[in-house]
Amino acid sequence: MKRYGVLILPSSNRVYSGAAVELTRAELEIFGGAVLGGRLGAVETTTVGGVPYVTFGVEGGLGERDVALLSNLSSAYAIFEFVDDLLRPVPLTRLDRYDDDLVTIQKYPGKTNEQFTKLLLNVTLLASTWADELLTRRFRVIDPLCGRGTTVNQAMMYGFDAAGLDRDSKDFEAYQTFLSTWLKRKRVKHRVLESGPVRRERKVVGRRLRLEVAASKEAHKAGDVQTVDVVNADTTRIGEFFRPESVDLVVADAPYGVQHGSRTADGLARDPLALLAAAVPGWARLLRPGGALGISWNTNVARREAAAEHLTAAGLTVLDDGPWRTLSHRVDQAIVRDILVAQKPTP
């Protein structure tokens, strides 16, 4: 069995940096079970030269496809193979299509750490029927609580079709301005398909920004374009803007109910369970059979079991054993964040 070590990417968030090692262990185990045939063994934390690594063994060693998959670990700065007392770098081949400032440049209060966003997207994808197609499938991802688009941008980075919905008009406007400016400044080939109010029966029911984006001139010529589709409307009305069974992954970082409550049709609620009760059925209807939903929330204001009940009631199968239960971590004194992932059963 060959042995490898993951060097953790430094994080600008000190608290998240402290949690990143254990989260990487859990994420690595999920990768191992979902797309590496259960060949990973002895996932541990090992200190090498005073620096913590997440180490693991692989029967037969990592092949080219294995490396391509693990290159997308959310907190992987580098991967090394242990050769006697030496570390041999393993060249990484990430999915990333764009410069990383697409996900790092925005700074604002309440922004979700981009490494965590990538982790949440990864584990949700790995719970889907199409996990083995991570390197080849153009997944369609929607964040029904997208804020200023951190998840939308990460899905873009992977080359996926990305969609989002948020009721806060200021967040929608800020994201529209950011993305339009970023695409122009980076000279990324794109085309605006729709921009402005959405009307139903002569009434404005929301606003929408819909784009086609190509990672390069060559991709554009070949018709290799991604769609980005962001709507300013209440998440409980998501079915008015997106068709049933039209997305592969629903990924959401729920409001924590402490600094900013959860919005529902009845107003502002401090309990995110109220948001889940109102919104999850609509989110589940968007998923294709075999698709997956991943959500993070603050366990200090909603127990894991209570949150899981809402996913189960919507017809989803919650993954609730092994590494799926080891993704909880502290964000600050008032917030302990956890992740729930569930799959929509196939007929």
Side-chain angles (χ1 to χ4, degrees), residues 73 100 176 185-186 212 232 238 254 266 271-272 299:
L73 282 165
D100 63 5
Q176 183 175 33
R185 183 168 58 85
K186 293 289 183 175
E212 280 186 350
N232 175 207
I238 200 166
D266 298 323
D271 182 359
T299 61

Side-chain angles (χ1 to χ4, degrees), residues 178-190:
F178 163 75
L179 185 59
S180 300
T181 302
W182 188 88
L183 291 170
K184 291 175 183 176
R185 183 168 58 85
K186 293 289 183 175
R187 298 183 179 180
V188 175
K189 190 73 174 177
H190 65 283

Side-chain angles (χ1 to χ4, degrees), residues 18 74 347:
S74 62

